[in-house]
Amino acid sequence: MSKIVTKKARFMLEADGFSIHTFEISRKLTKSEWNCCKEKLYDQKQVSSKAYVYKESKGVYRVSQYEQYGLRITLEHAHDQENSRGYYVRMVINPRKVIDPDASYIGIFPPEKSSITELQAAFHALLKRSAFNDQLDDYYLSRVDLCVNIRCDHKKIFREVVRVLRKLPTPPKYKRVSRKEKDKKKANKYNKHYIKFQCGTHSLVIYDKTYQVTEQGLRVDYEDLPGGVLRFEVQYQRSVLRGLEKKLNTDNPSELLWYLMRKSEKRISKHFEQCFADVQFCQIEEIEKRIVDSKYEDGTKQIMLELAHRMQRKQSVDQVLEEMASEGFAVDDLLRRVHKLGFSPIPLWKNFCAQQIPGPVSLLRMISEGEVVIAYQKVK
């Protein structure tokens, strides 16, 4: 005879904790410096099969020979943008890969002062015989991604977290951005594991890092993974970094990176707290019970129930609220009222093994204090 037993799944902070991952440095060049750099690259291409430079688009040349070492370089002639006209070299850097080309794509930059010193030395060694300036601090920061990796040891619970997170409502003043590719089927599949909200100064990103790694053909089969790694990112654009330079009275990239590494936990948590409600994801039965037992008027309860029931079938809260508004439902302030009851209107799968799962705000808060335990039931 089968019986139901209660077991525990765990979300755990990865060893590197909160830090940074990818960042971009830039340097403005004169026209003659830019042309000289480009000519050197094409000269190298003539004598070495390892030197790859090609025109990516109008005014943009991509240098791919350093990409295996965590360095993606472009030469850019910007003539359409009012605030950044001129000639530039831009480098998108994965610092772990620059220091160690064999490092895992899942890991992030260790938040230690020695990491900066190692990066400076590795950057110099990589570019000292190149067409580019080999001193990291001779550039300026033009983008920084703060991030944290959270590992889950239970595959079904991890996949369910990814599924409900991608339905989150778009925060005010942000827009939702999807990945676009020529292969639309591939892009649609990727977007099931990825969510990005963007405003003028920064972006908030949540995605399934294990899917990204396997989708790019690296090492493991996604379906065979026992759990997964969920990544939270805050991607700062140049305007935020310019403000930070003024605040700290320095434009030195190494100093700014070290500051952001130390402040990454507080900054990531704060951005997500400002944009999302601190609520739980629950089973539809629990959502119905909390709504019915609430002190809201019957008409409001019915609209709340309608929202939750539609969310069982639809792919985003935004879509459902737009549909309901077009049908005459009073949806202004509806989300805030639902959230006051402590849950998200996005239900877990019916008969899912766990009764509830923490939302992004509580997950980030609790993971800072230790592992997060999720009780679930299993039939034996």
Side-chain angles (χ1 to χ4, degrees), residues 86-229:
Y87 298 87
Y88 295 86
V89 56
R90 304 196 189 277
M91 300 184 182
V92 178
I93 298 175
N94 178 332
R96 272 183 80 115
K97 299 293 286 183
V98 171
I99 294 170
D100 177 11
D102 294 324
S104 163
Y105 277 86
I106 290 180
I108 62 178
F109 201 30
E112 301 160 2
K113 190 69 178 287
S114 59
S115 297
I116 300 290
T117 306
E118 288 182 60
L119 176 62
Q120 290 170 325
F123 184 84
H124 167 69
L126 190 58
L127 296 180
K128 63 183 177 181
R129 293 187 178 87
S130 75
F132 304 102
N133 185 307
D134 62 7
Q135 297 300 308
L136 182 72
D137 291 340
D138 285 345
Y139 296 78
Y140 65 85
L141 281 180
S142 44
R143 193 191 103 198
V144 177
D145 297 350
L146 310 182
C147 68
V148 61
N149 286 329
I150 300 174
R151 183 177 293 275
C152 178
D153 64 1
H154 191 283
K155 180 161 65 175
K156 286 185 178 179
I157 288 177
F158 176 74
R159 304 278 173 88
E160 181 64 354
V161 168
V162 173
R163 187 188 73 86
V164 292
L165 285 175
R166 75 169 187 262
K167 297 187 177 190
L168 283 171
T170 303
K173 299 181 181 180
Y174 287 75
K175 64 176 181 179
R176 184 164 180 161
V177 180
S178 299
R179 175 167 166 152
K180 290 182 170 42
E181 290 191 19
K182 291 180 180 179
D183 185 339
K184 289 186 179 181
K185 187 175 180 181
K186 184 178 180 181
N188 288 339
K189 190 174 181 181
Y190 190 94
N191 285 323
K192 290 181 178 180
H193 303 263
Y194 175 92
I195 183 169
K196 180 176 183 177
F197 300 106
Q198 187 177 72
C199 70
T201 58
H202 62 274
S203 300
L204 305 182
V205 184
I206 311 172
Y207 64 100
D208 176 354
K209 185 63 181 176
T210 35
Y211 178 80
Q212 184 201 41
V213 169
T214 54
E215 186 265 344
Q216 292 173 353
L218 300 170
R219 297 181 185 166
V220 284
D221 185 345
Y222 183 73
E223 295 302 327
D224 292 337
L225 289 169
V229 174

Side-chain angles (χ1 to χ4, degrees), residues 69-82:
Y69 304 106
L71 197 58
R72 192 168 74 248
I73 304 175
T74 55
L75 285 170
E76 176 185 316
H77 176 201
H79 48 274
D80 296 326
Q81 300 150 343
E82 284 294 333

Side-chain angles (χ1 to χ4, degrees), residues 123-349:
F123 184 84
H124 167 69
L126 190 58
L127 296 180
K128 63 183 177 181
R129 293 187 178 87
S130 75
F132 304 102
N133 185 307
D134 62 7
Q135 297 300 308
L136 182 72
D137 291 340
D138 285 345
Y139 296 78
Y140 65 85
L141 281 180
S142 44
R143 193 191 103 198
V144 177
D145 297 350
L146 310 182
C147 68
V148 61
N149 286 329
I150 300 174
R151 183 177 293 275
C152 178
D153 64 1
H154 191 283
K155 180 161 65 175
K156 286 185 178 179
I157 288 177
F158 176 74
R159 304 278 173 88
E160 181 64 354
V161 168
V162 173
R163 187 188 73 86
V164 292
L165 285 175
R166 75 169 187 262
K167 297 187 177 190
L168 283 171
T170 303
K173 299 181 181 180
Y174 287 75
K175 64 176 181 179
R176 184 164 180 161
V177 180
S178 299
R179 175 167 166 152
K180 290 182 170 42
E181 290 191 19
K182 291 180 180 179
D183 185 339
K184 289 186 179 181
K185 187 175 180 181
K186 184 178 180 181
N188 288 339
K189 190 174 181 181
Y190 190 94
N191 285 323
K192 290 181 178 180
H193 303 263
Y194 175 92
I195 183 169
K196 180 176 183 177
F197 300 106
Q198 187 177 72
C199 70
T201 58
H202 62 274
S203 300
L204 305 182
V205 184
I206 311 172
Y207 64 100
D208 176 354
K209 185 63 181 176
T210 35
Y211 178 80
Q212 184 201 41
V213 169
T214 54
E215 186 265 344
Q216 292 173 353
L218 300 170
R219 297 181 185 166
V220 284
D221 185 345
Y222 183 73
E223 295 302 327
D224 292 337
L225 289 169
V229 174
L230 189 66
R231 173 170 287 182
F232 289 82
E233 289 186 0
V234 177
Q235 301 175 348
Y236 283 148
Q237 302 301 319
R238 175 61 189 157
S239 58
V240 175
L241 301 171
R242 191 183 294 113
L244 192 59
E245 289 171 354
K246 291 179 181 177
K247 176 184 175 181
L248 302 178
N249 196 29
T250 180
D251 60 0
N252 181 284
S254 296
E255 293 178 16
L256 294 169
L257 288 171
W258 176 230
Y259 176 85
L260 287 169
M261 288 161 73
R262 286 178 289 143
K263 299 292 184 180
S264 57
E265 179 177 347
K266 183 178 179 180
R267 283 175 169 258
I268 292 170
S269 298
K270 182 180 177 181
H271 280 293
F272 279 91
E273 285 171 7
Q274 289 174 337
C275 291
F276 301 103
D278 187 359
V279 293
Q280 304 287 310
F281 296 108
C282 304
Q283 296 270 6
I284 187 65
E285 292 82 7
E286 177 65 18
I287 291 174
E288 291 171 340
K289 182 178 185 304
R290 291 196 196 184
I291 291 173
V292 171
D293 292 346
S294 73
K295 295 180 180 179
Y296 288 119
E297 295 179 358
D298 288 346
T300 301
K301 291 180 182 180
Q302 289 303 315
I303 298 174
M304 289 180 172
L305 290 168
E306 181 69 22
L307 171 62
H309 290 151
R310 292 194 187 199
M311 283 309 307
Q312 290 181 288
R313 306 183 303 276
K314 300 294 185 177
Q315 293 305 307
S316 76
V317 172
D318 300 338
Q319 179 188 6
V320 171
L321 289 176
E322 187 177 337
E323 283 182 358
M324 290 178 66
S326 70
E327 295 170 20
F329 286 95
V331 297
D332 290 346
D333 207 33
L334 183 61
L335 267 185
R336 186 189 65 81
R337 292 184 176 192
V338 172
H339 291 156
K340 281 186 72 174
L341 298 177
F343 61 86
S344 166
I346 306 167
L348 299 173
W349 279 120

